Amino acid sequence: MAGWNGGVRAAVLVAAWAAAALTAALPGAAAAEARRDLVVGMQLEPPHLDPTAGAAGAIDEVVYANLFEPLLRIDSDGGLVYALAEEWGVSDDGLSYTFRLRPGARFHDGTAADSADVKFSLDRARAADSVNAQKGYFATIDRVETPDPLTVVVHLTRPDGLFLFHMAQGDAVIVAPESAATNKQKPVGTGPFRFARWVAGDRVELERNPDYDGPAPALDRVTFRFIADPAAQVASLMAGDVDTFPQFNTFEALDRFRNDQRFRVKTGSGEGETLMAINNARPPFDDVRVRRALAHAIDRAAVIEAVTAGIAPPIGSHFAPHRAGYVDLTGLYPYDPDRARALLAEAGHPGGFSATLKLPPPIYARRSGELIAAMLADVGVRVSVENTEWAPWLERVFRAGDYDLTVIAHTEPLDIDIYGRPDYYFGYRSARFDALMAELETTRDEGHRNALYGDAQRVIAEDAVNAFLFQLPIVTVEKAGLEGTWQNRPLQANDITGVRWRN
Amino acid sequence: MTAFLVRRLLSLAFTAWLATVAVFVVLEVVPGDPALLMLGTEARPDTLEALRAQLGLDRPAPVRYAEWIGGLLTGDLGVSVTYNRPVAELVAERLVITVPLALGALALSTLLALPLGLFAASRHGRAGDWAVMAFGQLGIAVPGFWFAILLILVFAVELGWLPAGGFPGWSAGAGPALTALLLPAVALAVPEAAILARVTRAAVLDTLREDYVRTARAKGLGRRAVLGRHVLPNALVPVVTILGLQFAFLVGGAVVVENVFQLPGLGRLVYQAVGQRDLVVVRDVVVLLALFVVAVNLLVDAAHAAIDPRPRGAA
């Protein structure tokens, strides 16, 4: 019986709470004043909040541009804009970059953010004991000089076409020596928002930094809530608990939001090239005819329809369609099971063969994988599907290259260079491709760079290194009346510095 | 009684030691490198080595085991690999959710199961008995996570009475916090109540067949008085045993339920820690849980001894 009493008491509590919430909300509505707070929904909780010491995308999703600033940052269209630096220049030989810092920049603990902090941050990231997940970004730095407190000169060992782009990533944010060791729990940056609190397992809250020297953001308080379960994500939006959900993956629920005036659905492009990776080093996949057969056997449109409700742009190579330099190669291997069977027979596998398909946890991987397994079975390739966790996937598949086939989205921006890396898990080697990458490294002319990127896309598509599926769609579901959230996602971040509520 | 306690304490220590060996060996064997998981696909080999050295993973396994046990014995649980915070702090933060959840579920299931079990036994073979037995079968058969999702669909999404998940923190006040725990507690309690009701029914029926019950009835005592004064106290012995076992299962079930309801409790902590290969957190929490289960069993035995002195004499 006490159970019933408990239920009644709880119901009364809920009613009282709801009434209090309503009365609190009403005066604001009457005055027609725009809200100054925001609740952002995220799928995963960051393990900690130091973007210079971890690869978890959830870290940048909270702190990038909001709390921590790099020298330059990337805007919603993928372009470079000023952040801690307000000016930059490069020498004619492309070997030294000069950055002029914002004179009024301060860390949240009150200390000035000057050239010494920049030198400290860059040197820390490339030190022998560095635990920066993208230490490679800093590999071309020879030395960092600080002629005066507001000027930083970075000397490179060789020209690096991607240097500025890399310096704008979350891994390159500027931190202070006083707080670098404690940033994981109490992050101290130079951004327009500062850390307020972290309710472990539930939310991180940021508040406006009143001492910010740049344009003040329109919001006073931002809460990032972590909701892993797809059903709970839908429920939290429907119930109004969450204002915007920038990486909404429950595509089958989108129609509900599209048909509801309270919400707006934004679709953009991101950096996640989703593909079925093929172990090129392992027979029978070392035969290009077999790889082309796999490409012909996959009905890409059907995969896109089933996995992303049809909204994902198809890709025919490893390049994001929204980028300059993109070449449309999606017509290279049309869905053609007969052609696939013929190619397999030509390669000496008239009866097909058996293979394993290892699938990491993301829902796009599991769903695509199951469909692809059925499509491959249709042409005689008997695939056994193995679901794996992240940890063994990284160790066995990614690092040891111990796999036949796997499905994964490569979310690093402009990462086509991975096809030139020796010992990469694709097991692919191509002198033609390597030559293109070498030329790209020393080329700064934008038009020439894009032409080289185009050639690189063609080489890996013709070699059918992987079966290229689609660009992971970026879908944001948010309340109508919210402005300034990113439509595209050139990097994994929720930049809320320009977000505001319309009155 | 002293010999009994010493023996039990020794077996408790042995079980705890076994648990430490088992969890350590399992974590050594399963694939998954915490450094690689933290630094991701772009990490360079020298960076991975630097992080492994920072985490102390570059030393041989026996050394790491000895250090861990040494720390445990001195009350030092170590520092979480992913969160970079003391494990003791993390566990304490999560216990304030998991303990009220488990206790609430235990109370709910007991309050549901005892009356149902008694009722079924008193209607033995009749419609009421069949109804309770059917509930019992259903409760055992239905998976806990499925029932939890059903509760969310009905009470949060359709009716909108209760939150679908999440936890506002106790700092938000007892009202919202208890509201957030209500559905999870029910989700945990109902399957446990199903088992407990069946056990109670069986124990009461067994006791009803005892000679002293027939004697009491023959003396002219009413049904109600017999049930209350003679049957229930004797039937409680197996019920308490199951209750103790169930409490251990509740803590295990909390892992599942906390994940369905997005509650940042101990279960969610250990679930995430397994995914992130946070070896320090996983092994500490597993050993703490093992200790806890053994301790509960010890309490159950002591409660037995209090209710029914026979086991002590027989020993």
Side-chain angles (χ1 to χ4, degrees):
Chain A
M1 289 316 277
W4 285 111
N5 285 334
V8 170
R9 197 162 50 237
V12 170
L13 282 171
V14 174
W17 170 81
L22 275 177
T23 43
L26 277 174
E33 203 162 280
R35 276 176 59 189
R36 294 184 65 82
D37 66 316
L38 181 73
V39 181
V40 181
M42 281 171 53
Q43 198 187 344
L44 297 176
E45 178 175 26
H48 59 78
L49 295 174
D50 183 356
T52 67
I59 301 172
D60 278 340
E61 286 174 24
V62 173
V63 300
Y64 182 82
N66 306 325
L67 194 150
F68 284 114
E69 294 176 308
L71 287 167
L72 305 172
R73 66 186 173 84
I74 287 166
D75 70 5
S76 144
D77 301 321
L80 286 172
V81 294
Y82 294 116
L84 193 60
E86 58 174 17
E87 231 184 285
W88 66 269
V90 58
S91 63
D92 289 338
D93 59 2
L95 285 175
S96 49
Y97 286 81
T98 306
F99 299 94
R100 178 112 191 124
L101 308 183
R102 289 199 321 258
R106 298 199 156 269
F107 283 99
H108 300 146
D109 60 3
T111 58
D114 56 25
S115 56
D117 296 303
V118 176
K119 181 175 166 54
F120 167 78
S121 301
L122 299 186
D123 285 347
R124 173 172 171 260
R126 62 201 190 95
D129 63 347
S130 160
V131 293
N132 194 298
Q134 297 282 8
K135 194 177 173 185
Y137 286 177
F138 308 88
T140 50
I141 298 180
D142 181 37
R143 61 187 197 282
V144 183
E145 283 172 357
T146 57
D148 67 68
L150 292 179
T151 310
V152 181
V153 184
V154 182
H155 296 279
L156 305 186
T157 51
R158 55 180 169 82
D160 179 355
L162 284 175
F163 177 69
L164 287 177
F165 183 71
H166 286 157
M167 288 307 104
Q169 303 292 318
D171 309 271
V173 298
I174 303 307
V175 298
E178 296 86 358
S179 45
T182 50
N183 276 340
K184 282 189 169 178
Q185 289 304 319
K186 278 202 173 62
V188 174
T190 58
F193 289 93
R194 63 186 182 193
F195 177 74
R197 73 177 182 138
W198 185 349
V199 180
D202 192 58
R203 67 187 67 198
V204 168
E205 292 174 12
L206 306 183
E207 61 192 11
R208 196 165 62 84
N209 168 18
D211 302 323
Y212 187 62
D213 58 317
L219 300 171
D220 288 335
R221 202 169 186 86
V222 182
T223 303
F224 295 90
R225 276 201 59 194
F226 315 119
I227 306 168
D229 183 67
Q233 292 170 2
V234 175
S236 70
L237 278 161
M238 283 287 175
D241 298 347
V242 166
D243 299 316
T244 176
F245 214 111
Q247 263 199 103
F248 192 77
N249 286 332
T250 315
F251 302 119
E252 58 268 30
L254 283 180
D255 275 341
R256 271 173 82 178
F257 291 106
R258 284 206 186 96
N259 297 329
D260 190 329
Q261 289 194 340
R262 295 174 298 162
F263 298 100
R264 207 160 46 129
V265 176
K266 294 205 283 195
T267 312
S269 52
E271 297 296 336
E273 290 84 23
T274 310
L275 43 89
M276 180 181 74
I278 303 172
N279 192 343
N280 286 236
R282 183 182 278 188
F285 308 108
D286 52 349
D287 186 333
V288 69
R289 290 170 298 189
V290 170
R291 300 197 299 267
R292 285 178 182 155
L294 298 185
H296 277 301
I298 295 172
D299 184 351
R300 189 190 280 130
V303 173
I304 291 173
E305 185 57 42
V307 178
T308 74
I311 60 174
I315 54 170
S317 187
H318 195 106
F319 215 75
H322 62 87
R323 279 196 185 280
Y326 169 75
V327 183
D328 185 354
L329 296 163
T330 51
L332 203 53
Y333 305 106
Y335 174 53
D336 188 348
D338 290 332
R339 178 99 189 90
R341 280 183 216 110
L343 276 167
L344 285 176
E346 199 185 312
H349 306 282
F353 55 87
S354 299
T356 58
L357 174 60
K358 292 190 176 171
L359 301 177
I363 190 94
Y364 68 77
R366 296 271 164 97
R367 286 188 181 171
S368 306
E370 278 153 24
L371 278 169
I372 288 173
M375 291 168 182
L376 295 185
D378 186 39
V379 301
V381 178
R382 295 170 298 279
V383 166
S384 67
V385 171
E386 284 176 26
N387 290 342
T388 79
E389 271 182 283
W390 272 126
W393 187 89
L394 280 169
E395 187 165 314
R396 290 271 166 82
V397 177
F398 185 79
R399 197 143 54 136
D402 175 18
Y403 77 107
D404 295 336
L405 305 166
T406 185
V407 174
I408 186 74
H410 279 257
T411 54
E412 286 75 22
L414 273 180
D415 58 352
I416 196 169
D417 65 293
I418 55 182
Y419 290 79
R421 288 188 198 171
D423 302 329
Y424 205 63
Y425 78 112
F426 301 153
Y428 170 70
R429 296 306 295 145
S430 158
R432 257 173 87 204
F433 188 87
D434 291 350
L436 287 169
M437 286 301 112
E439 196 178 342
L440 199 57
E441 262 191 1
T442 53
T443 305
R444 277 187 294 145
D445 174 67
E446 206 59 28
H448 191 194
R449 286 185 68 83
N450 286 338
L452 289 170
Y453 274 133
D455 290 344
Q457 292 167 59
R458 281 188 201 95
V459 170
I460 56 172
E462 280 158 18
D463 283 345
V465 181
N466 295 317
F468 303 100
L469 301 173
F470 54 85
Q471 198 71 14
L472 206 58
I474 298 299
V475 174
T476 304
V477 178
E478 62 190 22
K479 287 184 183 161
L482 195 65
E483 285 176 349
T485 52
W486 280 12
Q487 175 151 11
N488 298 323
R489 194 163 260 262
L491 83 174
Q492 232 173 328
N494 298 315
D495 179 351
I496 38 114
T497 57
V499 176
R500 53 177 27 254
W501 291 95
R502 240 191 347 256
N503 290 14
Chain B
M1 190 72 180
T2 321
F4 164 78
L5 272 180
V6 168
R7 219 150 34 86
R8 294 306 309 231
L9 282 174
L10 278 178
S11 96
L12 190 151
F14 182 70
T15 312
W17 174 74
L18 271 185
T20 65
V21 174
V23 69
F24 191 87
V25 169
V26 167
L27 288 178
E28 285 297 308
V29 172
V30 289
D33 171 0
L36 183 60
L37 202 62
M38 282 168 82
L39 294 181
T41 54
E42 297 304 291
R44 300 185 346 164
D46 59 334
T47 323
L48 287 169
E49 251 159 58
L51 184 60
R52 263 185 234 118
Q54 204 184 79
L55 299 175
L57 293 173
D58 52 342
R59 287 160 310 146
V63 176
R64 282 181 286 124
Y65 178 76
E67 275 184 5
W68 175 42
I69 297 301
L72 281 184
L73 291 176
T74 54
D76 177 12
L77 294 183
V79 175
S80 156
V81 170
T82 33
Y83 293 101
N84 206 23
R85 288 175 62 199
V87 177
E89 214 177 285
L90 285 171
V91 168
E93 213 173 79
R94 303 302 181 102
L95 278 180
V96 300
I97 293 164
T98 302
V99 168
L101 176 64
L103 286 177
L106 188 71
L108 268 178
S109 65
T110 312
L111 287 169
L112 202 60
L114 285 188
L116 278 179
L118 264 179
F119 173 77
S122 68
R123 298 281 189 289
H124 184 45
R126 285 187 278 165
D129 187 20
W130 286 111
V132 172
M133 290 291 284
F135 161 75
Q137 282 293 0
L138 204 63
I140 293 164
V142 167
F145 73 91
W146 187 86
F147 184 60
I149 292 171
L150 190 73
L151 285 176
I152 293 178
L153 282 178
V154 173
F155 291 98
V157 175
E158 286 305 319
L159 297 172
W161 291 356
L162 294 163
F167 190 73
W170 289 104
S171 56
L178 288 177
T179 311
L181 289 181
L182 183 65
L183 278 188
V186 172
L188 261 182
V190 168
E192 304 297 328
I195 298 168
L196 207 55
R198 289 173 61 92
V199 172
T200 309
R201 172 184 171 275
V204 169
L205 283 179
D206 273 354
T207 319
L208 279 173
R209 291 190 201 101
E210 297 280 349
D211 290 341
Y212 58 80
V213 173
R214 202 178 318 128
T215 313
R217 284 289 279 163
K219 276 195 320 194
L221 268 178
R223 271 184 67 87
R224 223 164 255 275
V226 172
L227 269 181
R229 284 209 0 229
H230 295 279
V231 176
L232 198 55
N234 285 296
L236 271 182
V237 176
V239 172
V240 167
T241 311
I242 296 295
L243 207 60
L245 287 175
Q246 291 298 89
F247 196 57
F249 278 116
L250 276 180
V251 175
V255 176
V256 175
V257 166
E258 281 173 3
N259 276 299
V260 175
F261 286 95
Q262 316 288 320
L263 288 178
L266 196 63
R268 205 165 157 68
L269 176 72
V270 76
Y271 179 80
Q272 285 178 327
V274 169
Q276 289 162 337
R277 289 296 184 273
D278 192 338
L279 311 175
V280 180
V281 169
V282 176
R283 66 196 190 190
D284 281 349
V285 174
V286 168
V287 168
L288 285 177
L289 286 179
L291 269 180
F292 172 77
V293 169
V294 178
V296 167
N297 281 341
L298 185 68
L299 281 179
V300 169
D301 284 351
H304 265 185
I307 300 174
D308 178 357
R310 272 174 303 183
R312 216 192 316 157

